[in-house]
Amino acid sequence: MDLFDNGPLTLVEDAEGGIRYWADFLPPSLAREWFEALRDGCRWQSARRPMYDRVVDVPRLMAWYGLHEVPGGLPLAAMLERVQAVAPGGYTSAGLNLYRDGNDSVAMHNDKLHQLVPGQPLALVSLGSARRMNIRAKSGGRALGIDLEPGSLLVMSHASQTTHEHGIPKTVRPVPPRMSVVFRARPVAERGRDPWRVGAVEAEAPASGPVAGQRPGSPRDRAA
Ligand SMILES: O=C(O)CCC(=O)C(=O)O
Ligand SMILES: [Fe+2]
């Protein structure tokens, strides 16, 4: 690949732009700075969900902000400005995931369609350590694996959420924490509502809402 080519790698094609990946979206020093600011400044919460006859913690921490009400000090407006320059969209919310170690994960899923504005993309910025994302067509076939590097951007079309699933598998490799910041365009009726209380942004919806006040790295029962 041309070293000076910062254009995207197209992973999936569709009429709305498919799934595209920019490895060098952010300068490394800025990616590090923003990782630390968000790790230390976000209201991280541990959500719970039923699994068989138990209720377990969703295996990662999450935070969520409407873009009209981001607390001062969090670099989400500056990040959004860079996202808009590459992948313009009507983004209204930022959902953040913190994977504390290789035991944290997200199961294969598509983002909930009723919580997304049709035609609008989802933009996912990765910070911290690199983690593998698997992307698989619902129609079958092998999953495609992409290592989401710190400072990278993955943009998924709305249409791709109807045709493909994505997930971050656990890994036995010792990996430092990794964060994703997902900008989404939410329908007006969904804005301002805590997404965990209306069925969550994706498949691992907790039934009982978040447990407030958990700090990154605190011990817990992690399944799934
Ligand atoms: O952390 C990631 O890269 C994926 C997160 C995700 O799929 C989601 O929040 O819906
Ligand atoms: Fe997702």
Side-chain angles (χ1 to χ4, degrees), residues 40-55:
D40 298 342
C42 284
R43 302 185 291 259
W44 293 107
Q45 297 183 313
S46 180
R48 311 219 356 119
R49 70 182 170 98
M51 194 169 79
Y52 305 112
D53 55 347
R54 295 198 298 149
V55 177

Side-chain angles (χ1 to χ4, degrees), residues 58-60 97 99 104-109 131 133 166-170 178 202-204 224:
V58 169
R60 63 190 182 283
N97 300 287
Y99 302 80
D104 275 354
S105 59
V106 62
M108 293 299 284
H109 68 281
R131 288 288 295 264
M133 174 181 272
H166 56 278
I168 307 281
K170 296 182 193 305
R178 181 252 171 182
E202 37 84 356
E204 290 197 336

Side-chain angles (χ1 to χ4, degrees), residues 106-179:
V106 62
M108 293 299 284
H109 68 281
N110 64 266
D111 286 20
K112 292 259 190 248
L113 294 170
H114 72 273
Q115 294 192 347
L116 298 171
V117 176
Q120 294 293 320
L122 295 81
L124 189 156
V125 178
S126 290
L127 302 170
S129 71
R131 288 288 295 264
R132 170 70 53 99
M133 174 181 272
N134 289 328
I135 299 172
R136 192 174 56 205
K138 295 185 184 188
S139 58
R142 285 181 53 137
L144 173 153
I146 172 115
D147 290 324
L148 298 178
E149 299 291 341
S152 69
L153 173 69
L154 184 83
V155 175
M156 297 191 275
S157 68
H158 182 270
S160 74
Q161 300 306 295
T162 65
T163 57
H164 287 72
E165 294 186 316
H166 56 278
I168 307 281
K170 296 182 193 305
T171 173
V172 292
R173 283 187 305 115
V175 281
R178 181 252 171 182
M179 187 187 297

